[in-house]
Amino acid sequence: MTKRKWMIKNGTFAVLQNEKPVLRGYMVIEDDLITYIGEEQPKVEENMEIIDGTHLFFMPGLMNTHGHTAMSLLRGYGDDLALQVWLQEKMWPMEAKFTADDVYWGTSLSVIEMLKGGTTTFLDMYDHMDQVAAVTEQSGMRGVLTRGVIGLCPPDVQNHKLKEATAFAKDWHGKADGRITTMISPHAPYTCPPDYIEKFVQTAYDLDLPIHTHMSETVTEVEQNVRDYGLRPVAHLQKLGVFSRPALVAHAVHLTDEEIEILATHKVAVSHNPGSNLKLASGVARVPELLKAGVTVSLGTDGPASNNNLDMFEEMRLAALIHKGVSGDPTAVPAVESLRMGTEYGAKSLFLDGVGTLAPGMKADFIALNTDQAHFLPHTDFISHAVYSASAKDVEHVWVDGKQVVKNGICLTLDEEKIRREAQSAFERLLTL
Amino acid sequence: MTKRKWMIKNGTFAVLQNEKPVLRGYMVIEDDLITYIGEEQPKVEENMEIIDGTHLFFMPGLMNTHGHTAMSLLRGYGDDLALQVWLQEKMWPMEAKFTADDVYWGTSLSVIEMLKGGTTTFLDMYDHMDQVAAVTEQSGMRGVLTRGVIGLCPPDVQNHKLKEATAFAKDWHGKADGRITTMISPHAPYTCPPDYIEKFVQTAYDLDLPIHTHMSETVTEVEQNVRDYGLRPVAHLQKLGVFSRPALVAHAVHLTDEEIEILATHKVAVSHNPGSNLKLASGVARVPELLKAGVTVSLGTDGPASNNNLDMFEEMRLAALIHKGVSGDPTAVPAVESLRMGTEYGAKSLFLDGVGTLAPGMKADFIALNTDQAHFLPHTDFISHAVYSASAKDVEHVWVDGKQVVKNGICLTLDEEKIRREAQSAFERLLTL
């Protein structure tokens, strides 16, 4: 088969890994890979399609490293409530009624929002994961998928759930032309007994997969961990072997200096979810200290019911803003660091090689922002504009694995109108049950 | 002259002042006023234009109560720097070079961003205010304009500046069909000697105008005030008579309980600027306590060089999010309160009667959001969606004083392409000086 080879000319590109993080020039894509990026114009070959990038800013696709995307069906259904009221009276009763179909449409609604907003890779931890995988496959998006298991149930149910999680991880890892990878996920230390978590660690060894879990999101759960197991969550998970695997923990809001050290030593990655942590009043994670200690920190939206959107530009902006305001240091988390958290460090957190930067040999997962807009002027510093001024809706085009999935703001792979209709119906049906 | 009378049918309307803050139904507009809003269909008169509002959410126009809009020319020119470095090495040297033309194009750039993003009223405190007034008049926007005066200069320069500020306030108050009102603005207690501030108070009495000033933005300036005058800024301004006038203070980040009391007693309004306060690492204002004490708190973007956009949806979201995260209370600043801060309380802060809510007899300053979008689904709670999920770019139509100024996302009153070109040239020229 002939390779498809095409070139962007006169573009402005984010090359955050370089000393000069913005480059004006050319990028060549061959099938699913970037093969050239630089200031010099490469040789134009016969039949090479050339796209003019004059009014576009090209960035690596954004990587959303923690979420429960089907919860979009509950967006706006209960806000501004105390955490336990929100969970016990709003989320859990509704989620208990979710069918495979609901997960399909809820995930589709989220995937279309994410793709149009420039997110090219998402991690999803939920139930009915076959549905999530099906949507991922159809959409052309890259997905790191994992059945999140709550273990507060009798042993036979525990075993059934673990088997289901294992089968899913095994069946789907490497599928959809390699766009789908999987992880192993005990939900959290406070929802899984220690011996159950150890079984997940064993499974992760058996399948050679990374582990993903919630950790230290609230003060309450940290205190409960100490009460129940005599240890704070980090030492507890370390003891259970979780950090002997490649591991990504979500939230990590409440950490001691010693815990930050342990995460750094074991190369545990952290998915920082600023929007959700603020909205649920969980607190402000110690991101500057984590970064200083060498921990890989990436960004996640969490579920759309606690955010309430999936705009990763907003998470990058929050990450760049709140740590300045809270620490009193205006140099905390500069724009370029925040953009790396949303891209390169995201890839690292998800244990994905070959995505997250624009460089030769990397997968062609990238997005283009329209720079001809009032809030991107003057054309001073596109890194600053992308972090401090942009939003999801500034994204014009999106490519994943070399294929265009969003063009002029329209998703090419999914039927948006149908998805919006079906998601609304699904929510209305859930209300009647 | 015949009145223009038209109706929106099947719309969803934010009526935040009512017990039920969302209404589905009809709104009638006659010239510059709303004359009906309700669930019942009013009588359709001959020649009455009818607009279908089925897929639109109508809200009062947003009110940006503090800013320096011409600073859009410096957007992205210096971020992530210590405050004094940013001011002394980046902002002040460039601003010193600003000509009237620069202010004209910088303001135009900001006004077009604000209008397209659903802001119908803005406060501007800057220099070359005749230019700002000219842009306001042309754009159809509502503006509360004030020459911000720094008084660290010899008496003759002080006098000249005061005269200029007075003349501007007198000449433009009530102009542009009443869309322009003015205020009197000593820049801040730390940039104006006490006797100079007293002259501004006298001027405010003479012209019967409100006072606007910066106050207690940083810890440093509060400490300096105590050192220089033996009082914290609130007591200092109170002593100088500032609060004997209708007054709006910007920032008010660092306040004691006693200071909050004084502001409440004197009905001093506060313009909360969460984005700018975070970005400049000034801190987090005590908004829940201010609201609880009965202080009118509204929202402002501050200048676009410290934000870096003029998206008031983002300020509403930040106001609803950060106070939850910092206080640990998920019920702090609920969505509906944040939306009122962005609209109704904005009008109150600016001492404008007849704008800020959708109700009969109010000015027809309102906006329409397109609800047929993934991030507005399901259609659970549009107040929640507007605060937690929306952004400037969800705004489809904007009306000010009954006249449409944005239609399908395009500004009808200003030439956007020309403004973008001129703003870029102005910035490039400033760089060469």
Side-chain angles (χ1 to χ4, degrees):
Chain A
M1 214 176 92
T2 335
K3 282 205 173 197
R4 188 184 165 229
K5 192 167 176 177
W6 57 286
M7 179 168 82
I8 296 161
K9 67 168 185 181
N10 304 324
T12 307
F13 300 90
V15 286
L16 310 169
Q17 69 282 11
N18 296 354
E19 203 181 325
K20 221 178 120 196
V22 175
L23 176 153
R24 277 199 62 97
Y26 303 81
M27 185 162 84
V28 177
I29 297 100
E30 292 187 44
D31 284 345
D32 58 332
L33 295 178
I34 296 165
T35 54
Y36 173 83
I37 182 164
E39 288 176 9
E40 301 285 305
Q41 175 164 346
K43 204 177 127 245
V44 177
E45 294 167 29
E46 221 182 325
N47 300 324
M48 198 184 199
E49 197 192 336
I50 297 176
I51 286 179
D52 181 33
T54 307
H55 304 284
L56 298 169
F57 179 58
F58 296 89
M59 301 175 14
L62 298 167
M63 328 258 318
N64 186 346
T65 63
H66 182 68
H68 319 282
T69 54
M71 289 184 79
S72 60
L73 289 191
L74 304 179
R75 187 197 326 263
Y77 179 72
D79 301 290
D80 307 326
L81 298 168
L83 188 65
Q84 287 311 312
V85 178
W86 179 70
L87 284 172
Q88 289 171 13
E89 292 178 24
K90 292 286 181 174
M91 295 298 113
W92 290 343
M94 286 293 265
E95 285 185 285
K97 295 187 268 181
F98 273 27
T99 63
D101 260 12
D102 293 328
V103 170
Y104 181 85
W105 293 116
T107 304
S108 297
L109 187 68
S110 290
V111 163
I112 210 157
E113 184 189 345
M114 286 193 283
L115 275 183
K116 288 175 72 178
T119 299
T120 53
T121 300
F122 75 121
L123 177 144
D124 198 51
M125 180 213 260
Y126 211 62
D127 194 1
H128 298 291
M129 291 305 296
D130 285 332
Q131 302 298 319
V132 180
V135 175
T136 309
E137 187 159 33
Q138 289 157 26
S139 68
M141 198 168 181
R142 202 174 292 283
V144 178
L145 310 181
T146 179
R147 166 73 161 101
V149 178
I150 294 182
L152 305 172
C153 47
D156 58 323
V157 184
Q158 280 190 351
N159 285 336
H160 173 78
K161 282 182 171 181
L162 176 59
K163 264 189 199 156
E164 190 188 289
T166 309
F168 173 78
K170 207 168 156 183
D171 291 351
W172 281 96
H173 189 66
K175 290 285 158 47
D177 302 322
R179 283 186 289 106
I180 294 178
T181 55
T182 59
M183 283 193 182
I184 296 298
S185 287
H187 173 270
Y190 69 97
T191 55
C192 292
D195 63 329
Y196 196 43
I197 291 180
E198 284 174 329
K199 286 183 187 166
F200 281 84
V201 174
Q202 187 54 51
T203 305
Y205 272 104
D206 294 346
L207 301 181
D208 193 19
L209 291 174
I211 295 182
H212 180 49
T213 192
H214 295 98
M215 191 191 75
S216 304
E217 182 177 3
T218 65
V219 170
T220 315
E221 76 185 68
V222 173
E223 289 171 352
Q224 188 186 323
N225 210 92
V226 173
R227 215 165 41 241
D228 292 352
Y229 307 118
L231 291 171
R232 290 175 63 90
V234 171
H236 179 65
L237 291 181
Q238 184 188 14
K239 190 178 156 195
L240 298 175
V242 171
F243 302 157
S244 70
R245 295 294 313 162
L248 168 66
V249 294
H251 304 303
V253 177
H254 302 282
L255 298 176
T256 62
D257 289 351
E258 202 192 345
E259 285 178 297
I260 290 174
E261 279 270 334
I262 297 174
L263 296 179
T265 307
H266 291 269
K267 298 192 193 314
V268 177
V270 167
S271 177
H272 175 41
N273 295 192
S276 172
N277 294 160
L278 291 174
K279 184 155 185 285
L280 299 177
S282 307
V284 177
R286 299 179 60 194
V287 169
E289 291 90 339
L290 283 163
L291 289 169
K292 207 177 155 196
V295 175
T296 300
V297 182
S298 56
L299 296 170
T301 55
D302 206 356
S306 61
N307 191 299
N308 289 351
N309 63 35
L310 300 169
D311 181 351
M312 282 288 291
F313 287 94
E314 202 179 302
E315 300 305 321
M316 290 196 292
R317 182 153 52 246
L318 282 172
L321 288 180
I322 58 174
H323 303 294
K324 294 180 174 62
V326 169
S327 70
D329 174 8
T331 70
V333 192
V336 68
E337 189 72 352
S338 184
L339 202 52
R340 293 180 90 170
M341 287 164 71
T343 55
E344 187 185 342
Y345 303 164
K348 229 177 138 188
S349 293
L350 298 172
F351 308 100
L352 295 177
D353 288 330
V355 289
T357 54
L358 302 185
M362 299 299 281
K363 287 275 189 185
D365 288 17
F366 64 99
I367 67 180
L369 275 62
N370 172 9
T371 58
D372 276 352
Q373 303 189 85
H375 60 295
F376 284 154
L377 279 168
H379 289 169
T380 40
D381 177 351
F382 283 113
I383 307 289
S384 165
H385 291 348
V387 170
Y388 292 121
S389 207
S391 77
K393 296 185 80 174
D394 296 324
V395 175
E396 212 61 9
H397 311 294
V398 179
W399 291 263
V400 182
D401 225 24
K403 291 190 187 74
Q404 188 156 14
V405 290
V406 173
K407 188 173 181 172
N408 299 316
I410 292 164
C411 183
L412 303 174
T413 51
L414 298 173
D415 180 346
E416 178 172 345
E417 217 175 295
K418 183 179 170 137
I419 289 168
R420 280 195 267 112
R421 208 167 48 235
E422 295 285 353
Q424 179 66 25
S425 304
F427 172 70
E428 287 173 11
R429 191 191 63 80
L430 288 165
L431 277 185
T432 66
L433 296 178
Chain B
M1 214 177 93
T2 334
K3 281 204 172 195
R4 190 186 164 228
K5 191 166 175 178
W6 56 287
M7 180 167 81
I8 296 161
K9 67 168 187 182
N10 304 324
T12 307
F13 299 90
V15 284
L16 310 169
Q17 69 281 14
N18 296 352
E19 205 181 323
K20 222 178 120 197
V22 175
L23 177 152
R24 277 198 62 96
Y26 303 81
M27 186 161 83
V28 177
I29 296 100
E30 291 186 44
D31 285 345
D32 58 332
L33 296 178
I34 296 167
T35 53
Y36 173 84
I37 182 164
E39 288 176 8
E40 303 285 305
Q41 177 166 343
K43 203 175 128 245
V44 176
E45 295 166 31
E46 221 182 326
N47 299 325
M48 198 184 198
E49 197 191 337
I50 296 176
I51 287 180
D52 181 33
T54 307
H55 304 284
L56 297 170
F57 179 58
F58 296 88
M59 302 178 10
L62 298 167
M63 328 256 321
N64 187 345
T65 64
H66 182 69
H68 318 282
T69 54
M71 290 183 79
S72 60
L73 289 191
L74 303 180
R75 188 196 327 263
Y77 179 73
D79 301 289
D80 307 327
L81 298 169
L83 188 65
Q84 288 309 313
V85 178
W86 180 71
L87 283 173
Q88 290 170 13
E89 291 179 22
K90 292 286 180 173
M91 295 298 113
W92 292 344
M94 286 293 263
E95 285 185 284
K97 295 186 267 180
F98 274 26
T99 63
D101 260 11
D102 293 327
V103 171
Y104 181 85
W105 293 115
T107 304
S108 298
L109 188 68
S110 290
V111 163
I112 209 156
E113 183 188 346
M114 287 193 281
L115 275 183
K116 288 175 72 178
T119 299
T120 53
T121 301
F122 76 120
L123 178 145
D124 198 52
M125 180 212 261
Y126 210 63
D127 195 0
H128 299 291
M129 292 305 296
D130 286 332
Q131 302 298 319
V132 179
V135 175
T136 308
E137 186 159 34
Q138 289 157 26
S139 69
M141 198 169 182
R142 202 175 291 284
V144 177
L145 310 181
T146 178
R147 166 73 160 101
V149 178
I150 294 183
L152 305 172
C153 46
D156 58 323
V157 184
Q158 280 190 350
N159 285 336
H160 173 77
K161 282 182 173 181
L162 176 59
K163 265 189 198 154
E164 188 188 291
T166 309
F168 173 78
K170 208 168 156 183
D171 291 351
W172 282 95
H173 189 65
K175 289 286 159 44
D177 301 322
R179 284 187 288 105
I180 295 179
T181 54
T182 59
M183 283 193 182
I184 295 298
S185 289
H187 174 271
Y190 69 95
T191 54
C192 292
D195 62 329
Y196 197 43
I197 291 180
E198 283 173 329
K199 288 184 186 164
F200 281 84
V201 174
Q202 187 53 53
T203 305
Y205 272 105
D206 294 346
L207 301 181
D208 194 19
L209 290 174
I211 296 182
H212 180 51
T213 192
H214 295 97
M215 191 191 75
S216 303
E217 182 177 3
T218 65
V219 171
T220 315
E221 77 186 66
V222 173
E223 290 171 351
Q224 189 187 321
N225 211 92
V226 173
R227 216 166 39 243
D228 291 352
Y229 308 117
L231 292 170
R232 290 175 63 89
V234 171
H236 179 66
L237 291 181
Q238 184 188 12
K239 190 178 156 196
L240 298 176
V242 171
F243 301 157
S244 69
R245 294 295 313 161
L248 168 67
V249 294
H251 304 301
V253 177
H254 301 282
L255 297 177
T256 62
D257 290 350
E258 201 192 346
E259 285 178 297
I260 290 175
E261 279 271 333
I262 297 174
L263 296 179
T265 306
H266 292 270
K267 298 193 191 316
V268 177
V270 168
S271 177
H272 175 41
N273 295 191
S276 172
N277 293 161
L278 292 173
K279 184 157 186 283
L280 299 178
S282 306
V284 177
R286 298 177 62 193
V287 169
E289 290 91 339
L290 283 163
L291 290 169
K292 208 177 155 197
V295 175
T296 299
V297 183
S298 57
L299 297 169
T301 55
D302 206 356
S306 62
N307 190 302
N308 288 354
N309 64 36
L310 299 170
D311 181 350
M312 281 289 292
F313 288 94
E314 202 179 302
E315 300 305 321
M316 291 196 293
R317 182 153 52 246
L318 282 172
L321 288 179
I322 57 173
H323 304 293
K324 294 179 173 64
V326 168
S327 70
D329 174 8
T331 70
V333 192
V336 69
E337 189 72 352
S338 182
L339 203 51
R340 294 181 89 170
M341 288 165 68
T343 55
E344 187 186 341
Y345 303 163
K348 227 176 138 189
S349 293
L350 297 173
F351 307 98
L352 295 176
D353 289 329
V355 291
T357 55
L358 302 185
M362 300 297 284
K363 287 276 189 185
D365 286 20
F366 64 99
I367 67 179
L369 274 62
N370 172 10
T371 59
D372 277 351
Q373 302 190 85
H375 61 294
F376 284 154
L377 279 168
H379 289 169
T380 40
D381 177 351
F382 283 114
I383 306 289
S384 164
H385 291 348
V387 170
Y388 292 122
S389 206
S391 77
K393 296 185 80 174
D394 296 324
V395 175
E396 206 74 359
H397 311 294
V398 179
W399 291 264
V400 182
D401 225 24
K403 291 191 187 74
Q404 187 155 16
V405 289
V406 173
K407 189 174 182 171
N408 299 315
I410 292 164
C411 183
L412 304 175
T413 52
L414 298 174
D415 180 346
E416 177 170 346
E417 216 175 298
K418 181 177 173 145
I419 289 168
R420 281 196 267 110
R421 207 167 49 235
E422 294 287 351
Q424 179 66 25
S425 303
F427 173 70
E428 288 173 11
R429 191 191 62 81
L430 288 166
L431 277 185
T432 64
L433 297 178

